[in-house]
Amino acid sequence: MRSWSAPDIAPLPGTGGPLRVHDTATGRIRETAPGPRAGMYVCGITPYDAAHLGHAFTYLTFDLVNRVWRDAGHEVDYVQNTTDIDDPLLERAQATGVDWRDLAHREIDVFRGDMAALRVIPPTSYVGVVESVDLISALAERIRAAGAAYDLDGDLYFSAAEAPKFGEVGGLEHEEMLTLFGERGGDPGRAGKRGPLDWLLWRAERPGEPAWDSPLGRGRPGWHIECSAIALDRLGPGFDLNGGGSDLVFPHHEMGAAETRCVTGGPGAHHHVHVGMVGLDGEKMSKSRGNLVFVSKLREEGVEPAVIRTAMLAHHYRSPWEWTGAELPVARARVERWRAATARGSAPDATPLLSAVRAALAEDLDSPAALAAIDAWAEAALTEGGTDTGAPALARATLDTLLGVRL
Ligand code: 5CA
Ligand code: ZN
């Protein structure tokens, strides 16, 4: 489906170094080693409500990955899905008396507007589930042919016992998996399953639910298989990085990796990267909890996207944090100070600043350290002045190109 409009990206002198980033599967910060084309898959929204700040934090994180890779000279194949058919979408559509397709289209449009405003580089492939039903059912069919799936009253389940490296992404204990599976869209208690962690690949048609014809019968895809199918189709086996919020470590990315391993022998991605949850009032910000701060609402209230972006970049992507609203005036003051510093005719040499920002981001996307380097440069520019007439433009380009903050 249509992606969103791309921000223009100013060129920077020289190139950045390789990106090192935390990998959930090994628990370590490891160097990414893409070829000329880096491949990244990021789990997209389920479009039944507008994008909240938690979503935005996740997409900003992978936007940094994108920018750091590009700065290091790679082209980036960036694939993102959107879950435009799933239980929560159907439930919301029914509850509000809206056609599920209209609801999805409307919310995807708001999301596109938010992402473009935040200067998030768009995916090269933005892919809906509805348009991918054939390739998803084809993967389910391959899994069945491999002997890893079984039928339960017309539904097709992956048998977790047939996943030789189950646990390779999250490294969780069985009990913990069971709890999370129940909390996050799974059905550990369904009667007739061979094992409680077995998951749905294909759901046979139910009265009143949308369904598509497939070699598995009429029905619709389960959740995890949409992402393994789209990633395999667009990026092939063995791509560089798979990402999403930390709520997706289990079951979503574990089960997706098992599906991919079943048909390719490998887990799909070389790196599994997860973003800490943004909360409000001590709870994860989530559509089902309803404790949301919407990006679109902040924009309507006149909050500058550069300020929203700066407020988020003040947090390291792996730390969970709480949105209190107090971030906004702090970020606004910061942006104003950077503006004042870069509005001068001359300033201290910004070449060391560019190196410092590159180094901070290349070491596990340390955006707070990058912002601190900019603060220090701006402080020097405003208090001591400087004689480098190219420095203000270079500092602006550094912020724009590497951090996506256009002053
Ligand atoms: N459509 C699925 C992924 S295939 C999904 O999880 N959709 S979502 O709309 O619930 O979330 C979209 C993305 O935002 C996911 O990567 C999710 O992990 C991330 N996310 C959701 N809530 C938060 C939050 N509070 N903080 C940070 N990231 C979040
Ligand atoms: Zn996903």
Side-chain angles (χ1 to χ4, degrees):
M1 60 173 56
R2 187 169 60 79
S3 194
W4 55 88
S5 56
D8 51 317
I9 301 207
L12 289 172
T15 50
L19 171 66
R20 287 164 44 79
V21 68
H22 185 267
D23 169 34
T24 307
T26 53
R28 286 208 292 272
I29 296 175
R30 293 197 295 117
E31 187 167 310
T32 58
R37 297 186 79 85
M40 169 161 73
Y41 185 92
V42 176
C43 284
I45 57 162
T46 306
Y48 65 88
D49 216 337
H52 58 65
L53 288 176
H55 301 132
F57 189 55
T58 284
Y59 300 117
L60 277 191
T61 297
F62 296 103
D63 191 50
L64 293 181
V65 172
N66 199 336
R67 287 168 184 271
V68 171
W69 273 344
R70 285 164 177 250
D71 186 50
H74 305 284
E75 288 193 48
V76 182
D77 283 330
Y78 175 20
V79 181
Q80 187 181 130
N81 70 310
T82 181
T83 308
D84 56 0
I85 176 74
D86 200 6
D87 297 345
L89 177 75
L90 294 175
E91 284 158 19
R92 178 65 62 89
Q94 181 141 45
T96 53
V98 185
D99 184 275
W100 62 274
R101 283 158 291 222
D102 295 339
L103 175 60
H105 289 152
R106 189 178 75 204
E107 297 306 336
I108 290 169
D109 245 5
V110 176
F111 178 67
R112 287 187 182 109
D114 289 343
M115 291 296 106
L118 290 173
R119 302 182 69 77
V120 172
I121 299 172
T124 33
S125 295
Y126 189 43
V127 190
V129 173
V130 169
E131 65 183 339
S132 309
V133 165
D134 287 349
L135 70 97
I136 297 169
S137 63
L139 177 60
E141 183 66 358
R142 282 173 73 192
I143 291 170
R144 184 167 70 171
Y150 63 90
D151 178 273
L152 178 57
D153 298 334
D155 296 338
L156 188 68
Y157 274 84
F158 195 112
S159 170
E162 302 298 328
K165 297 213 172 175
F166 199 63
E168 66 182 305
V169 176
L172 302 178
E173 298 295 332
H174 183 77
E175 282 307 309
E176 206 173 346
M177 290 192 200
L178 268 182
T179 307
L180 290 175
F181 189 48
E183 287 171 5
R184 296 175 176 169
D187 55 359
R190 179 168 174 186
K193 292 206 304 180
R194 291 183 191 164
L197 289 175
D198 296 351
W199 66 94
L200 188 68
L201 294 171
W202 188 260
R203 176 177 160 92
E205 182 171 20
R206 307 289 200 273
E209 286 189 5
W212 291 263
D213 287 320
S214 87
L216 307 160
R218 265 182 84 70
R220 61 182 168 96
W223 173 27
H224 316 301
I225 194 158
E226 73 187 59
C227 289
S228 34
I230 294 170
L232 256 183
D233 181 69
R234 300 301 204 278
L235 296 169
F239 55 96
D240 294 290
L241 190 153
N242 187 50
S246 62
D247 58 332
L248 298 185
V249 174
F250 195 90
H252 188 53
H253 289 161
E254 193 69 65
M255 294 180 173
E259 290 160 355
T260 306
R261 185 174 284 286
C262 172
V263 297
T264 68
H270 299 313
H271 248 90
H272 289 273
V273 178
H274 292 103
V275 178
M277 288 290 109
V278 181
L280 187 71
D281 305 331
E283 289 212 79
K284 168 191 160 187
M285 201 178 278
S286 92
K287 288 181 278 205
S288 43
R289 288 196 178 92
N291 60 340
L292 306 178
V293 179
F294 295 115
V295 178
S296 45
K297 183 93 190 314
L298 290 178
R299 288 169 56 215
E300 271 167 35
E301 288 166 3
V303 181
E304 257 194 278
V307 169
I308 302 175
R309 211 169 155 125
T310 301
M312 298 211 186
L313 291 171
H315 298 271
H316 188 259
Y317 80 95
R318 276 202 283 140
S319 320
W321 56 284
E322 293 261 320
W323 178 266
T324 64
E327 290 80 1
L328 281 181
V330 174
R332 197 173 289 122
R334 232 172 178 168
V335 167
E336 288 313 323
R337 211 164 163 71
W338 296 341
R339 280 202 175 114
T342 57
R344 302 194 145 205
S346 65
D349 181 12
T351 314
L353 171 64
L354 171 58
S355 303
V357 171
R358 275 182 168 144
L361 293 181
E363 185 59 26
D364 204 24
L365 305 172
D366 193 348
S367 58
L371 297 201
I374 297 161
D375 285 341
W377 177 87
E379 181 69 17
L382 291 169
T383 56
E384 297 155 26
T387 56
D388 187 332
T389 53
L394 180 56
R396 265 200 306 275
T398 299
L399 260 166
D400 187 2
T401 302
L402 294 177
L403 293 162
V405 176
R406 173 153 295 185
L407 293 178

